[in-house]
């Protein structure tokens, strides 16, 4: 697989996530033109065809994807969906069964298999214990169902809850358990219906309101979720889990003080819970009360030393506070965090790990990107330092960065995640390099410019922009929606419009444009936007090079401009990412960068006005 193919796939998948089906289709077809057996592209075209109401065409693509990769579970699953659309349930059954053979925990395939078998007039064979359950009481069925649910046997548990309800239709607890099973099986709408039935038959059942609140929260129905949590707590004022989860909802809404109060109440009810102490720390950290947050993380650590999520949060708080010595060591707990998908969800290489005690002289070291684009751009600065210690350095990173990273000083070779790993002696994730080098706050390697654009790209963009008539300012206002903190860091183009009153030329450095900003952009001719013409980060880097100043929210382009040693202004939310620390306008990572921080959560207007005044003076 070539780097260009990987870039096209990434672009197509990004377009698909934005519901740009035509653009995504064009990218995937370009991939197939170069590699007609590319299973992922074939599968993606099948999905797009299915979304367009063309199940026969989708089936053809899924068949080709499976022919190329017989172990592609999702292709078998989606093939089953297309066959059901084509009224061919007997064949769909075989596709779902094959998906389950490949991926035994594929619950959605099991659910669809049950539907297909019912459509075909067949019944799934029941395990012996379910056959025996016909003689049990409704309560016994419900109790056994809970045990199966705890053991991960969700489909079998659901069958027992259904049997309990067949015996006792108004059994509220069984309705509630049925909702839990349906939620676990990825059927939130049916789960909500089940919880509603439980509440109908027993309005005073706190667990039904609590579980309803959780699924409503996950579905983004925050107002309804809050009301359900309120009702659960009113029914059971000592319901610690309800306080805790209501705190999570309030945190999602940016109501940090209220979230802290709920977390503290949960902790008061159950002071032995490491999770409740940890969540208190999260809320305090969101309020920039890092000393108190660290005290809470310490309490959680004493109760559960191997609680990876707490150790991870503690690491972020230590780094945010500038305590790098302790922070980097604690940061290694990220690999044990159950919800972080580091290294694109893959397993790190099995070769020995580079550590602070390893002598890399004469050895080939594979460094690999493990998190976002900005992290890769920030921490690739360590490559020259490692090469200076006598190592031959290889770098595995995101495809869109490869053309730019290939010119990095000290790098002997670059590759993508999708390529076969090159031979190497040692390996190390990029964000573990500060620990390897013993980086302290006063020893952050700050080499100025450490990335460079290629002369041909720079000239091509110089020709496209033409001669500069005024100072040129590049703007970035949104990052990836996949980022967990995107709702706090990204703003709208309309928020930045006061900057366009300055006497300057303005250029969008955004590759992707959100629907909400399209109307504003059309009404703002003073801002030039290039969109999909920015093929990869070497194009964005060339465009940054031609700016006199870059203004960005906390996203990858901010790191790119900093690595190019351009003057950068970064707009930060009230509770910033750890790398920007607290209460400072500068950063040791990028000497020519100035930080503009919210003083009140959610108040971007004051931040942008401060920046506008400063730019007007320079």
């Amino acid at each position: 697989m070539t780097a260009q193919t990987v870039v096209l796939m990434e672009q197509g998948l990004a377009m698909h996530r934005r519901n740009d089906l035509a653009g995504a289709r064009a990218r995937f077809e370009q991939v197939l033109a170069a590699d007609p057996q590319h299973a992922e592209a074939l599968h993606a075209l099948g999905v797009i065809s299915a979304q367009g109401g063309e199940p026969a065409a989708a089936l053809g693509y899924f068949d080709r994807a499976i022919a190329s990769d017989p172990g592609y579970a999702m292709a078998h699953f989606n093939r089953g969906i297309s066959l059901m659309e084509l009224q061919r349930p007997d064949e769909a059954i075989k596709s779902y069964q094959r998906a389950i053979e490949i991926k035994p925990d594929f619950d959605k395939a099991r659910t669809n298999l049950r539907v297909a078998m019912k459509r075909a007039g067949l019944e799934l064979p029941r395990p012996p214990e379910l056959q025996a359950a016909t003689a049990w009481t409704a309560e016994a069925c419900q109790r056994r169902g809970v045990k199966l649910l705890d053991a991960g046997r969700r489909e079998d548990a659901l069958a027992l809850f259904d049997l309990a309800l067949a015996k006792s239709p108004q059994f509220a607890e069984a309705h509630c358990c049925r909702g839990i099973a349906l939620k676990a099986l990825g059927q939130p709408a049916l789960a909500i219906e089940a919880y509603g039935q439980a509440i109908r038959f027993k309005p005073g059942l706190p667990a039904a309101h609590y579980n309803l609140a959780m699924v409503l929260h996950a579905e983004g129905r925050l107002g309804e979720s809050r009301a359900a949590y309120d009702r659960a707590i009113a029914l059971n004022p000592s319901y610690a889990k309800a306080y805790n989860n209501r705190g999570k909802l309030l945190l999602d809404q940016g109501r940090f003080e209220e979230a802290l109060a709920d977390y503290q109440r949960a902790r008061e009810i159950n002071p032995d819970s490491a999770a409740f102490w940890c969540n208190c720390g999260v809320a305090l950290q969101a309020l920039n009360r890092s000393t108190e947050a660290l005290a809470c993380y310490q309490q959680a650590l004493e109760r559960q030393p191997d609680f990876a999520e707490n150790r991870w949060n503690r690491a972020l708080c230590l780094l945010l506070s500038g305590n790098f010595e302790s922070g980097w060591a604690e940061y290694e707990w990220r690999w044990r965090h159950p919800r972080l998908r580091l290294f694109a969800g893959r397993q790190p290489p099995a070769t020995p790990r580079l550590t602070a005690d390893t002598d890399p002289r004469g050895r080939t070291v594979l460094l690999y990107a493990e998190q976002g684009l900005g992290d890769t751009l920030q921490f690739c600065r360590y490559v020259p330092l490692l090469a200076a210690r006598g190592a031959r350095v290889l770098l595995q990173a995101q495809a869109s960065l490869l053309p730019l990273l290939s010119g990095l000083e000290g790098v002997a070779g670059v590759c993508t995640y999708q390529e076969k790993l090159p031979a190497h002696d040692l390996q190390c994730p990029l964000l573990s390099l500060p620990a390897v080098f013993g980086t302290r706050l006063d020893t952050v390697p700050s080499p100025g410019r450490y990335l460079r654009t290629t002369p041909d790209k720079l000239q091509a963009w110089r020709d496209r922009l033409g001669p500069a008539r005024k100072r040129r300012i590049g703007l970035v206002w949104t990052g990836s929606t996949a980022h967990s903190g995107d709702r706090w860091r990204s703003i709208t183009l309309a928020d930045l419009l006061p900057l366009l009153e300055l006497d300057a030329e303005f250029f969008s450095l955004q590759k992707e444009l959100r629907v909400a900003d399209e109307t504003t952009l059309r009404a703002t001719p003073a801002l030039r936007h290039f969109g999909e013409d920015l093929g990869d980060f070497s194009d964005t880097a060339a465009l940054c090079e031609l700016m006199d100043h870059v203004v960005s929210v906390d996203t990858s382009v901010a790191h790119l401009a900093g690595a190019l040693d351009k003057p950068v202004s970064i707009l930060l939310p009230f509770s910033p990412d750890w790398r920007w620390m607290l209460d400072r306008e500068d950063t040791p990572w990028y000497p020519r960068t100035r930080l503009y921080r919210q003083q009140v959560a959610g108040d971007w207007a004051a931040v942008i006005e401060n920046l506008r005044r400063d730019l007007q003076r320079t």
Side-chain angles (χ1 to χ4, degrees):
M1 186 185 304
T2 66
Q4 181 60 27
T5 299
V6 175
V7 170
L8 288 170
M9 280 302 303
E10 287 185 353
Q11 291 175 349
L13 293 170
M15 290 175 174
H16 193 207
R17 286 192 294 271
R18 300 198 306 272
N19 206 33
D20 178 4
L21 301 188
R25 181 184 287 275
R27 292 295 192 279
F28 297 137
E29 287 174 345
Q30 285 179 268
V31 172
L32 290 186
D35 180 3
Q37 306 304 316
H38 195 292
E40 190 177 1
L42 289 164
H43 176 261
L45 285 167
V47 172
I48 290 172
S49 297
Q51 288 176 300
E54 302 176 88
L59 182 61
Y61 282 119
F62 295 139
D63 284 342
R64 289 172 62 190
I66 291 166
S68 178
D69 181 1
Y72 200 158
M74 187 58 72
H76 288 282
F77 173 75
N78 283 319
R79 183 177 187 271
I81 293 175
S82 294
L83 287 164
M84 290 293 286
E85 290 284 329
L86 293 167
Q87 307 301 316
R88 293 157 63 180
D90 291 335
E91 295 171 77
I93 288 169
K94 294 178 181 177
S95 283
Y96 292 136
Q97 287 174 330
R98 181 64 184 128
I100 294 165
E101 287 172 10
I102 296 166
K103 187 181 178 185
D105 62 347
F106 203 158
D107 283 328
K108 287 187 178 180
R110 292 183 185 277
T111 300
N112 284 19
L113 174 61
R114 189 180 294 276
V115 173
M117 294 188 76
K118 185 176 181 180
R119 182 88 59 86
L122 303 172
E123 286 189 14
L124 282 170
R126 288 189 166 189
E129 62 189 310
L130 295 188
Q131 295 176 25
T134 55
W136 299 351
T137 65
E139 290 76 9
C141 290
Q142 188 257 351
R143 287 195 299 270
R144 181 58 182 162
V146 170
K147 290 182 179 179
L148 291 179
L149 196 58
D150 290 342
R153 293 172 58 185
R154 298 161 182 166
E155 285 281 357
D156 292 343
L158 182 61
L160 276 173
F161 299 139
D162 286 342
L163 184 57
L165 291 169
K167 295 172 181 289
S168 179
Q170 297 186 16
F171 188 1
E173 285 80 2
H175 281 292
C176 184
C177 290
R178 186 172 184 272
I180 295 170
L182 287 164
K183 179 177 180 290
L185 288 165
Q187 300 184 60
L190 292 178
I192 290 170
E193 183 180 320
Y195 296 137
Q197 287 288 82
I199 292 167
R200 175 187 168 201
F201 293 122
K202 193 171 183 179
L205 183 61
H209 295 278
Y210 168 74
N211 283 289
L212 174 62
M214 284 201 295
V215 72
L216 289 170
H217 187 182
E219 291 297 294
R221 295 162 62 175
L222 302 188
E224 295 170 84
S225 176
R226 170 66 188 270
Y229 279 130
D230 290 349
R231 182 61 180 154
I233 289 168
L235 290 167
N236 180 3
S238 297
Y239 205 155
K241 287 184 178 180
Y243 283 107
N244 182 68
N245 281 20
R246 190 174 70 177
K248 291 180 182 178
L249 185 151
L250 291 165
L251 200 70
D252 285 347
Q253 293 179 313
R255 297 160 68 175
F256 303 141
E257 292 281 4
E258 294 173 76
L260 176 60
D262 267 358
Y263 286 144
Q264 288 173 329
R265 180 63 183 131
R267 189 190 71 198
E268 289 167 3
I269 296 167
N270 184 1
D272 293 329
S273 169
F276 295 168
W277 279 99
C278 174
N279 287 338
C280 284
V282 170
L284 287 162
Q285 195 166 328
L287 290 164
N288 292 340
R289 292 159 61 179
S290 55
T291 302
E292 295 169 82
L294 285 171
C296 286
Y297 295 141
Q298 182 61 35
Q299 290 289 334
L301 187 152
E302 291 173 5
R303 285 161 175 77
Q304 189 178 341
D306 62 348
F307 184 12
E309 186 171 349
N310 179 66
R311 303 294 291 261
W312 161 256
N313 287 326
R314 184 169 181 266
L316 299 182
C317 196
L318 288 164
L319 294 170
L320 180 73
S321 304
N323 184 348
F324 284 7
E325 293 92 331
S326 299
W328 298 128
E330 201 77 344
Y331 198 67
E332 290 302 310
W333 278 85
R334 68 195 185 278
W335 296 101
R336 297 171 61 180
H337 191 304
R339 291 191 294 276
L340 289 178
R341 285 181 55 80
L342 300 175
F343 195 40
R346 296 170 173 82
Q347 289 295 316
T351 40
R353 175 80 170 269
L354 175 72
T355 69
D357 299 324
T358 309
D359 184 356
R361 284 179 295 180
R363 307 172 81 177
T364 297
V365 182
L366 175 71
L367 304 178
Y368 54 91
E370 56 175 279
Q371 298 184 41
L373 295 166
D375 297 287
T376 304
L377 291 166
Q378 180 178 0
F379 290 96
C380 70
R381 71 180 64 216
Y382 284 90
V383 168
L385 302 183
L386 187 57
R389 290 189 175 184
R392 178 175 178 268
V393 182
L394 305 177
L395 181 57
Q396 184 183 43
Q398 298 91 336
S400 58
L401 294 180
L402 255 57
L404 185 63
L405 296 176
S406 60
L408 181 64
E409 179 187 347
V411 71
V414 294
C415 63
T416 67
Y417 296 142
Q418 290 77 13
E419 295 178 74
K420 182 179 179 181
L421 280 180
H424 60 282
D425 305 305
L426 301 165
Q427 54 85 11
C428 187
L430 276 178
L431 274 78
S432 290
L433 289 171
V436 170
F437 281 87
T439 301
R440 303 188 309 272
L441 186 57
D442 60 346
T443 63
V444 169
S446 186
R449 179 185 181 127
Y450 56 91
L451 291 178
R452 285 168 173 74
T453 52
T454 57
D456 57 333
K457 279 285 176 77
L458 188 60
Q459 188 58 51
W461 281 98
R462 182 178 283 116
D463 293 342
R464 180 163 183 176
L465 266 56
R469 296 175 288 107
K470 301 176 181 177
R471 174 174 51 161
R472 286 176 164 170
I473 299 177
L475 302 179
V476 182
W477 56 93
T478 62
S480 168
T481 55
H483 190 282
S484 60
D486 185 64
R487 63 188 178 278
W488 309 124
R489 66 169 184 167
S490 290
I491 59 179
T492 67
L493 175 56
D495 290 323
L496 281 183
L497 291 182
L499 296 183
L500 273 69
E501 299 170 5
L502 297 168
D503 187 27
E505 294 181 82
F506 290 92
F507 299 84
S508 164
L509 305 181
Q510 296 270 159
K511 180 177 173 63
E512 298 179 4
L513 193 67
R514 298 186 185 180
V515 174
D517 294 320
E518 291 177 357
T519 301
T520 306
L521 183 66
R522 285 194 295 270
T524 313
L527 177 63
R528 292 178 65 181
H529 179 70
F530 303 100
E532 294 304 324
D533 291 342
L534 295 170
D536 57 44
F537 266 73
S538 64
D539 288 300
T540 308
L543 198 53
C544 283
E545 284 273 27
L546 298 170
M547 299 295 109
D548 296 298
H549 198 101
V550 173
V551 173
S552 178
V553 294
D554 181 10
T555 187
S556 55
V557 180
H559 291 282
L560 175 61
L564 294 167
D565 202 28
K566 301 295 294 185
V568 187
S569 296
I570 302 180
L571 313 178
L572 297 178
F574 177 76
S575 180
D577 188 72
W578 65 265
R579 72 202 72 216
W580 309 121
M581 295 182 282
L582 297 173
D583 303 322
R584 56 187 298 167
E585 295 180 348
D586 66 335
T587 168
W589 299 102
Y590 303 112
R592 302 183 71 192
T593 290
R594 182 169 179 185
L595 308 176
Y596 288 80
R597 302 173 181 272
Q598 284 184 349
Q599 299 304 308
V600 177
D603 181 12
W604 286 111
V607 175
I608 291 165
E609 176 56 23
N610 288 339
L611 171 60
R612 189 193 67 78
R613 285 199 299 265
D614 286 349
L615 288 175
Q616 194 170 38
R617 285 195 291 265
T618 57

